[in-house]
Amino acid sequence: MSSYTRRHTLKTGTAAAVGLSLAGCTGDNGADADVDVVSDPDGAPVEEITLLSIAQGDAPARYEYGQLFADNLEEVGFEVEYDAQPTVEYLEARAEPPYPWDIQVRRAGDGFEPAEAIFRGFFHSSNIGPGDSNLYAYENDEVDELIDEQASEMDPDRRTEILHEIQEHLREDMPIVPLLVQERIMPYNQERFQNPVPIIEQGLGSFWNYLNIEPIGDDAHLRTTMAEDINALNPLDQTARGDREMLRLVYDRLVRVSPDLEPEPWAASDVETIDDTTIDVSLREGMTFHDGEPVTAEDVQFSFEYGAEHSPTKETRAEPIESIDVETDLDLVFNLEEPNAPFLTNALGRVFIIPQHIWEDVPDDVEAETPIDWQNAEAIGSGPFQVESADFAEQIQLSAYEDHFQPPNVDRLTRAVVSDVRAGIRAYEDDAVDMMSWELPVDDLERFEQEDETALESSLMMSIHHMGYNLREPPFDDVDVRQAVAHAVPQETIIGTIYGGTGQVIHNPLSPGFDEWYWNDVDEFESDTDVTMQMLDDVGFQWDDDMRLHYPPDY
């Protein structure tokens, strides 16, 4: 863990873009921001604020732009402790009491149903609490009602209108400052493989790419890596990106979201919406698990009910379900408690089908205290790849499941475990792997662009980078302060300098990749520290002779 107080200097070349104009605030150099500087302010000094970020070795870009923002905050009068923690400690600190942060640097919100992953997850008051996803303690009854309303709105146009209304409220209340959405640029060896199918957010790590990428020669062994560990092959736990990438290949779902982001039947041969709360599902004929046992409607029912009992994520997916009726070996009916617009994508498209004949004896017959603790190294699913071996510290070996209704074009897949991005790059450049399913750092892009054997694929992310305020304590329980500080975030500099232009500035907590859902009429905020200071001055904040910020006298 590293924790230190920020220096005042910006990195070379960024000051002009960031606009740190404090000249004249003390009365002798011609200020752009005409603020109230007094020798002995009546109000109390604003307490030192803690900006929580992730350690440089774990997320270099986030660490760097967190530093840049901390500098800007100090320039406008805050005292800032920049607390950059390794991933595990960072995750614990951001979500658990006593919440030792005032602002946090965060990238989150992936998934093909952002209305649920982001709006409900980040901003619904039901998700406030230790370990819950509304880390900021944001509460707005009207926003809660709108989030609930959009979930049950089956008219797509009306649902879009509601999502825009939510974004309008969030712009006014500013519980977070949306920053950017990255372009994830990933390399693969185009002399060995062709016709990749990257998709939004996942890039070359998408299910569709592993299924469709084609070997050029006789060697159909695809070797890949990403800069994230594999912890287990447990389909009840999808919290880790590295685990999810492999689980999608080994376990089928009733529905898959297509590369065009449309839900389409997958393990289901047919999904028919009878009415707003009744969905008939028929399974494909002849499907088997990797041990040869047939996939039945009872396995599907078990997957949802067992998952809801033992997995926090599956419990959320199954929440809209009132009951599941098994009609035949291949047919079942989902009865919902109320209309649920995201159900196809968020439930049928996210819950893995697990074999009842194996999991009904978990954890009793395995070395695990609870089902979600089982590493499941010999995972048995019904997906297009089957597990050959799993050494979670070294590599995962998969092979094509030839009895699948859509087997992959490659015969074997090896996922190498590496310590970090740099190790992954070395593995690629040493020809130890053919592909990286993790974005390249900006500093490496020019070198990779010049390599003849390498092709680069770019995919816009769904998850958003943002600065999130702790609304539990002053000064960020005050919307005026949150609105003012939003202008101190140097968005364009972050995109241009740190990400080399590989991304998009956003002003809503949503990726523009979701087209009509993104509210384009948003009142954009400028990246200008003068604006921050002027807005704080307008609501009565003062600065002392050392240019440190004080609360208004009657605060």
Side-chain angles (χ1 to χ4, degrees), residues 107-110 180-182 201 241 461-465 511:
R107 187 190 78 186
D110 63 328
L180 63 103
V181 173
Q182 279 178 255
E201 176 71 30
R241 184 188 292 265
M461 295 188 76
M462 292 181 289
S463 54
I464 63 167
H465 290 254
S511 170

Side-chain angles (χ1 to χ4, degrees), residues 57-258:
D58 292 354
R62 273 181 274 173
Y63 173 85
E64 189 171 351
Y65 74 62
Q67 282 188 323
L68 198 60
F69 182 45
D71 282 318
N72 279 15
L73 288 173
E74 289 220 339
E75 293 291 349
V76 301
F78 290 95
E79 291 187 358
V80 182
E81 179 190 29
Y82 187 55
D83 190 5
Q85 306 237 15
T87 300
V88 173
E89 289 86 346
Y90 163 80
L91 293 174
E92 291 176 354
R94 77 182 192 185
E96 299 291 340
Y99 306 106
W101 53 273
D102 298 286
I103 305 176
Q104 64 170 261
V105 175
R106 188 181 180 199
R107 187 190 78 186
D110 63 328
F112 298 114
E113 249 303 333
E116 296 297 296
I118 294 180
F119 294 147
R120 184 177 300 281
F122 290 9
F123 306 119
H124 199 285
S125 64
S126 64
N127 289 319
I128 298 174
D132 285 345
S133 53
N134 185 344
L135 305 179
Y136 320 109
Y138 173 68
E139 294 185 76
N140 183 316
D141 291 343
E142 191 168 354
V143 170
D144 282 355
E145 291 173 6
L146 289 169
I147 291 172
D148 293 339
E149 183 183 352
Q150 63 79 32
S152 60
E153 179 52 67
M154 306 304 286
D155 180 341
D157 292 337
R158 174 56 189 148
R159 190 177 185 220
T160 297
E161 291 176 3
I162 298 168
L163 295 175
H164 289 176
E165 289 181 54
I166 294 170
Q167 291 169 73
E168 187 173 4
H169 280 286
L170 294 174
R171 175 61 182 86
E172 293 172 357
D173 294 344
M174 196 65 76
I176 70 169
V177 186
L179 296 180
L180 63 103
V181 173
Q182 279 178 255
E183 290 277 353
R184 309 188 76 201
I185 301 175
M186 303 176 183
Y188 74 95
N189 187 325
Q190 63 180 343
E191 294 180 350
R192 285 182 33 81
F193 293 91
Q194 63 185 356
N195 299 327
V197 185
I199 67 171
I200 186 173
E201 176 71 30
Q202 298 166 6
L204 293 175
S206 80
F207 168 81
W208 297 106
N209 184 50
Y210 285 117
L211 191 70
N212 291 293
I213 195 168
E214 300 173 1
I216 292 176
D218 294 333
D219 185 358
H221 180 192
L222 175 64
R223 303 160 302 164
T224 184
T225 191
M226 70 183 299
E228 188 164 313
D229 292 340
I230 303 176
N231 305 292
L233 290 173
N234 190 319
L236 301 186
D237 184 6
Q238 299 180 45
T239 54
R241 184 188 292 265
D243 297 1
R244 291 198 306 268
E245 186 173 294
M246 294 293 98
L247 288 167
R248 288 194 293 262
L249 307 178
V250 176
Y251 290 93
D252 278 323
R253 297 163 171 170
L254 291 171
V255 166
R256 293 271 186 194
V257 175
S258 74

Side-chain angles (χ1 to χ4, degrees), residues 21-38:
S21 175
L22 292 179
C25 289
T26 56
D28 57 1
N29 352 19
D32 291 332
D34 182 16
V35 299
D36 192 5
V37 179
V38 296

Side-chain angles (χ1 to χ4, degrees), residues 279-329:
I279 299 169
D280 282 359
V281 174
S282 298
L283 293 177
R284 291 178 183 267
E285 294 185 5
M287 285 183 62
T288 61
F289 291 106
H290 300 149
D291 60 1
E293 292 293 320
V295 178
T296 70
E298 286 190 355
D299 290 301
V300 175
Q301 180 189 46
F302 175 82
S303 300
F304 279 84
E305 294 179 350
Y306 183 86
E309 181 181 356
H310 296 290
S311 166
T313 55
K314 298 299 182 295
E315 180 182 16
T316 301
R317 309 292 178 217
E319 206 169 66
I321 301 172
E322 183 177 87
S323 64
I324 302 174
D325 300 327
V326 173
E327 304 285 326
T328 72
D329 283 349

